[in-house]
Amino acid sequence: MSELISITGLEKTYVSKSEKLTVLKDLDFKLIEGHSAVIIGESGSGKSTFLNILGGLDSATAGIVQAGPYVVSELDEDGLAAYRSHFLGFVFQFHYLLKNFTALENVFLPAYMAGVSRRAAMEKASLLLSDVGLSSRMDHLPSELSGGERQRVAVARSLVNDPELILADEPTGNLDPANAALIGDMLFSMAERYRKTLVLVTHDRTLAEKGEFLYNIRDGHFTCDRTPCREQEPGTL
């Protein structure tokens, strides 16, 4: 298998009138396709900033960010839109479902908007919702679903365009412990079933332990919390 993510010399600095704050400092990160990595850290440690830069939602101050064939740090707005649409799937702390659309429609729409035929997009959305245990809830609006069910819809939606890479930002942070455990297990099992690479950030140590490779972010730097990343295979720092 080949290297899917390669990040070198990543830095992110925020500048305001009164201060200059560097949250990421000369970070290197690599991950081979088909594996999962978890980044753990306290609130404000920079873990979400790292994920947003990898996802093309924020820009780096310095460094090279490459994911598959995309040199993310060099893409223009059109390139970033294509990268996010075709290469990535996102799962956020909040589900961001469209409130006037059913669960099925929420999963269907990203595929349809990416050019997939209506029939094929509907079939794929139905399959994914069945895979996350919502075959009987497809026609329900988000307001008619529980918090855990809404997040399961978000997991299904992240996979509908068959992305290479799933990025999850505190995906269980808004859930009770039982649903948090369910969604955590589901994310990793779905990534494995569909052979996706997964990068997840969290402050929840229980969720973090589910990943193959575990990194801690502190003072703008990564440290390794597992032997595999210390041995630099397949994650490396």
Side-chain angles (χ1 to χ4, degrees), residues 97-108 122 125-126 129-130 133-145 149 153:
L97 300 179
L98 299 173
K99 65 180 182 179
N100 294 322
F101 290 80
T102 66
L104 180 61
E105 290 167 338
N106 267 281
V107 179
F108 151 85
M122 279 292 188
S126 297
L129 284 170
S130 295
L134 292 178
S135 57
S136 65
R137 308 285 282 170
M138 293 186 192
D139 294 328
H140 288 67
L141 296 172
S143 60
E144 300 170 321
L145 301 173
E149 288 172 333
V153 176

Side-chain angles (χ1 to χ4, degrees), residues 142-221:
S143 60
E144 300 170 321
L145 301 173
S146 68
E149 288 172 333
R150 289 192 289 266
Q151 200 66 329
R152 280 191 266 168
V153 176
V155 172
R157 181 183 57 190
S158 74
L159 288 160
V160 74
N161 279 337
D162 196 25
E164 296 293 326
L165 175 61
I166 304 293
L167 302 180
D169 188 1
E170 297 283 7
T172 64
N174 203 38
L175 301 174
D176 61 82
N179 274 305
L182 185 152
I183 294 298
D185 288 341
M186 180 173 293
L187 259 174
F188 287 101
S189 65
M190 291 287 280
E192 183 177 4
R193 180 186 308 175
Y194 285 95
R195 299 180 181 179
K196 305 303 178 186
T197 305
L198 173 65
V199 179
L200 182 150
V201 303
T202 185
H203 66 275
D204 182 345
R205 189 77 192 195
T206 300
L207 175 60
E209 292 294 340
K210 300 178 188 295
E212 293 174 272
F213 306 100
L214 178 58
Y215 305 95
N216 197 309
I217 187 167
R218 186 182 296 112
D219 298 325
H221 296 284

Side-chain angles (χ1 to χ4, degrees), residues 4-234:
L4 190 77
I5 302 170
S6 177
I7 297 174
T8 56
L10 178 62
E11 294 189 9
K12 180 63 178 181
T13 298
Y14 295 99
V15 179
S16 67
K17 292 181 179 179
S18 59
E19 64 178 340
K20 180 179 179 181
L21 177 63
T22 298
V23 294
L24 301 175
K25 304 173 184 177
D26 197 27
L27 287 182
D28 294 339
F29 177 84
K30 299 183 187 297
L31 189 63
I32 290 176
E33 63 181 339
H35 291 271
S36 64
V38 176
I39 299 160
I40 193 168
E42 299 299 323
S43 296
S45 62
K47 59 187 185 299
S48 290
T49 299
F50 172 83
L51 203 72
N52 286 340
I53 291 172
L54 178 56
L57 301 174
D58 198 356
S59 59
T61 304
I64 299 172
V65 179
Q66 181 156 2
Y70 297 91
V71 183
V72 183
S73 49
E74 297 179 2
L75 294 176
D76 59 16
E77 286 302 317
D78 288 342
L80 287 170
Y83 168 62
R84 290 189 294 261
S85 176
H86 299 292
F87 194 81
L88 297 180
F90 288 98
V91 182
F92 298 101
Q93 179 174 351
F94 300 100
H95 52 78
Y96 296 118
L97 300 179
L98 299 173
K99 65 180 182 179
N100 294 322
F101 290 80
T102 66
L104 180 61
E105 290 167 338
N106 267 281
V107 179
F108 151 85
L109 276 172
Y112 186 62
M113 292 175 67
V116 178
S117 71
R118 175 178 289 274
R119 179 176 179 178
M122 279 292 188
E123 288 177 351
K124 185 65 178 292
S126 297
L127 173 64
L128 287 167
L129 284 170
S130 295
D131 282 350
V132 298
L134 292 178
S135 57
S136 65
R137 308 285 282 170
M138 293 186 192
D139 294 328
H140 288 67
L141 296 172
S143 60
E144 300 170 321
L145 301 173
S146 68
E149 288 172 333
R150 289 192 289 266
Q151 200 66 329
R152 280 191 266 168
V153 176
V155 172
R157 181 183 57 190
S158 74
L159 288 160
V160 74
N161 279 337
D162 196 25
E164 296 293 326
L165 175 61
I166 304 293
L167 302 180
D169 188 1
E170 297 283 7
T172 64
N174 203 38
L175 301 174
D176 61 82
N179 274 305
L182 185 152
I183 294 298
D185 288 341
M186 180 173 293
L187 259 174
F188 287 101
S189 65
M190 291 287 280
E192 183 177 4
R193 180 186 308 175
Y194 285 95
R195 299 180 181 179
K196 305 303 178 186
T197 305
L198 173 65
V199 179
L200 182 150
V201 303
T202 185
H203 66 275
D204 182 345
R205 189 77 192 195
T206 300
L207 175 60
E209 292 294 340
K210 300 178 188 295
E212 293 174 272
F213 306 100
L214 178 58
Y215 305 95
N216 197 309
I217 187 167
R218 186 182 296 112
D219 298 325
H221 296 284
F222 282 152
T223 57
C224 297
D225 275 22
R226 291 261 178 82
T227 298
C229 69
R230 293 192 182 98
E231 295 173 347
Q232 299 185 359
E233 185 180 358

